[in-house]
Amino acid sequence: RGLVEYIDEFQNDSILPSEIKNHIVNIDYKGTLNGSINLLPAGNINSNDYWKKLSSIDWKELFYSEKSNGVSLLLHLKELIKNDYNPDFILIDSRTGITDISGIAMTLLSDSVVTLAANNDENIIGTSKVIRSLLNKENNLMGVQPNLYFVLSRIPYYKHSDKKHIEKGIVNRALETINKDGEILKEIFVIHSDRDLEEEEKFKIN
């Protein structure tokens, strides 16, 4: 069970749960930090019912019709998470690209939005459009603008100081592209590429 079942039961069966624990998976994390990690998955992707339920969700009816109550549904979900877990942070992995649900997740549920883009025009220009949309007060459902962070990913790491200017040039060109129609960002963050991760996906820290 997960978010798809939560929405499906509300939209098709008028069920609004009083707790969210039966939708949550506890992550087995053997680390040095105290606390726990809990995951609200999209749903059981190994079940045929999951794909049927996902395709049957009427996002337009849920969020854009005259009797839409999707905003209340997601705010209820946020409150359930707070009541059942009271987490220090909620991290939302939104769908890639410009979609209805990613916009809702960013404008309705988030205090901070981190956008990630690869270093190409399609990614940078598309992501800058998302940021401009988030800055538009008409698109802000809660009346509070989230903190915005733009991250360029998979940038080569140059160990030698005489090549550091290459990364600076990449960042400056991206910043110029983003601010072409008026300044919206002063800073870009970078996630470097890692040769090991290019060969095999691993969990790495520092």
Side-chain angles (χ1 to χ4, degrees):
R1 299 172 65 80
L3 187 60
V4 166
E5 285 83 4
Y6 173 83
I7 295 174
D8 175 76
E9 288 173 359
F10 174 78
Q11 192 169 47
N12 296 316
D13 302 321
S14 300
I15 296 175
L16 193 62
S18 58
E19 62 178 25
I20 198 64
K21 290 182 179 180
N22 62 343
H23 292 72
I24 299 287
V25 177
N26 297 318
I27 303 299
D28 184 18
Y29 173 67
K30 295 180 175 66
T32 56
L33 300 176
N34 294 323
S36 60
I37 299 174
N38 304 292
L39 172 69
L40 172 59
N44 181 6
I45 61 172
N46 295 315
S47 165
N48 290 331
D49 283 344
Y50 167 80
W51 301 103
K52 292 177 183 176
K53 290 175 180 177
L54 177 61
S55 62
S56 70
I57 293 175
D58 189 341
W59 299 108
K60 186 176 181 180
E61 173 68 24
L62 201 58
F63 288 101
Y64 302 106
S65 68
E66 290 184 6
K67 296 180 180 180
S68 64
N69 41 25
V71 170
S72 299
L73 175 66
L74 290 188
L75 290 178
H76 177 73
L77 172 62
K78 195 174 182 180
E79 197 63 26
L80 290 180
I81 294 172
K82 181 180 178 181
N83 292 339
D84 289 354
Y85 292 93
N86 193 28
D88 295 313
F89 299 96
I90 300 176
L91 304 179
I92 303 171
D93 181 13
S94 183
R95 288 180 65 180
T96 301
I98 301 172
T99 63
D100 288 346
I101 193 61
S102 64
I104 292 161
M106 288 188 286
T107 58
L108 183 63
L109 297 176
S110 303
D111 300 310
S112 298
V113 174
V114 179
T115 59
L116 292 100
N119 183 33
N120 59 62
D121 286 345
E122 182 184 11
N123 269 249
I124 294 171
I125 293 171
T127 305
S128 68
K129 290 182 183 296
V130 171
I131 291 174
R132 288 186 185 280
S133 178
L134 290 170
L135 291 172
N136 187 337
K137 293 181 180 180
E138 292 182 2
N139 296 333
N140 199 315
L141 300 174
M142 300 303 293
V144 179
Q145 183 183 303
N147 301 311
L148 299 173
Y149 302 93
F150 186 100
V151 181
L152 270 184
S153 63
R154 300 203 299 267
I155 301 302
Y157 178 68
Y158 299 100
K159 293 182 179 180
H160 302 292
S161 58
D162 61 336
K163 290 191 174 182
K164 292 290 184 182
H165 69 280
I166 299 175
E167 179 180 313
K168 188 173 182 181
I170 292 171
V171 170
N172 287 340
R173 284 194 298 274
L175 200 55
E176 287 176 8
T177 301
I178 293 167
N179 294 327
K180 182 179 179 182
D181 298 320
E183 184 178 284
I184 58 173
L185 289 179
K186 295 183 180 296
E187 184 178 12
I188 286 180
F189 297 89
V190 168
I191 294 178
H192 291 112
S193 179
D194 186 297
R195 288 293 174 89
D196 288 348
L197 297 180
E198 291 173 7
E199 296 172 1
E200 181 184 0
E201 188 169 299
K202 301 174 183 177
F203 182 62
K204 304 186 77 174
I205 295 178
N206 294 332

